[in-house]
Amino acid sequence: MGLEAESRALAIAALVERPPVDLLRAPLDYIFADHFRQRSLCRILADLAEQAELDHAMASAALDFLRNDFGLHVVDEEKDLFPLLRKRRQRQDRIGDILGRLGAEHAADAIEAEQIVAALAGALEAAPAPLSGAARALMAGFAANERRHLTAENAIVLPLARARLTCGDLDILGRHMAERRGLAYPEGTDAV
Ligand SMILES: [Fe+2]
Ligand SMILES: [Fe+2]
């Protein structure tokens, strides 16, 4: 396998593998792991946007992730993480504007993600139909925006959440994330 093919295979593996269930007891780490998967999604979408011929394995992995996982993560943030952070923030944190901007990006991303799903599903079904120029531009733009979004969340939101959220908050966050995924919450007394 060449270097390029190997790196593509690694990106696909990183994308399809969900974080271990036990990590729900450290829900901010679970969110961080989901961000790593999203970086792989960005890499894959940016690659697909450049390819002359559609790489089916990459397109299928991106399609599955966008259909099944991407939305769950956004709901984790919108319904649990951001509201908890708004509740616990201190006056000097100045996080309100950033959370507002990230929330607006979630709404825009959801619309674009749906369009990308339609484009990828169509291209896979009608193989070897290439992606349209508009679909390529959409995917490249989504990947670039999402990378900026992830950087802000990893650099600002998650560190502040680690500082401000209480043990009770983290417990609620992890339990809601488990419920959202149809998973049993990993009960236990040991710290993860
Ligand atoms: Fe996120
Ligand atoms: Fe987000």
Side-chain angles (χ1 to χ4, degrees):
M1 204 188 280
L3 245 190
E4 185 60 16
E6 197 176 330
S7 128
R8 283 179 182 172
L10 281 173
I12 291 174
L15 184 61
V16 299
E17 195 171 329
R18 282 186 162 186
V21 177
D22 276 352
L23 206 55
L24 287 164
R25 287 169 56 213
L28 298 176
D29 291 345
Y30 194 105
I31 288 174
F32 186 76
D34 262 348
H35 284 169
F36 181 73
R37 298 172 75 203
Q38 285 178 28
R39 279 202 192 280
S40 302
L41 173 73
C42 292
R43 149 91 213 268
I44 287 172
L45 291 179
D47 262 21
L48 288 168
E50 305 247 308
Q51 288 167 3
E53 252 181 64
L54 190 73
D55 180 314
H56 279 225
M58 291 176 90
S60 301
L63 186 58
D64 282 352
F65 183 84
L66 284 169
R67 275 183 173 153
N68 302 317
D69 291 75
F70 184 69
L72 286 172
H73 173 80
V74 173
V75 180
D76 291 339
E77 292 179 342
E78 287 286 321
K79 289 258 189 283
D80 288 302
L81 178 61
F82 289 8
L84 284 169
L85 210 41
R86 283 195 173 95
K87 188 162 117 189
R88 300 291 180 205
R89 71 182 156 175
Q90 295 178 5
R91 190 185 291 271
Q92 71 272 23
D93 289 341
R94 298 178 189 279
I95 190 82
D97 287 353
I98 294 168
L99 294 180
R101 178 168 60 79
L102 293 170
E105 288 174 7
H106 286 157
D109 283 351
I111 295 168
E112 289 194 355
E114 255 181 56
Q115 294 168 338
I116 293 172
V117 163
L120 287 176
L124 279 167
E125 269 167 32
L131 288 163
S132 68
R136 289 169 192 273
L138 178 69
M139 285 161 47
F142 180 93
N145 290 338
E146 191 59 27
R147 280 179 173 136
R148 278 193 292 273
H149 184 95
L150 288 166
T151 299
E153 288 182 342
N154 282 346
I156 301 166
V157 175
L158 287 180
L160 193 66
R162 288 187 197 286
R164 298 282 181 254
L165 266 47
T166 65
C167 289
D169 293 339
L170 295 173
D171 189 66
I172 290 169
L173 175 61
R175 286 177 190 277
H176 286 178
M177 287 167 65
E179 205 176 285
R180 204 164 277 136
R181 287 162 176 77
L183 298 168
Y185 183 76
E187 305 285 351
T189 49
D190 299 338
V192 173

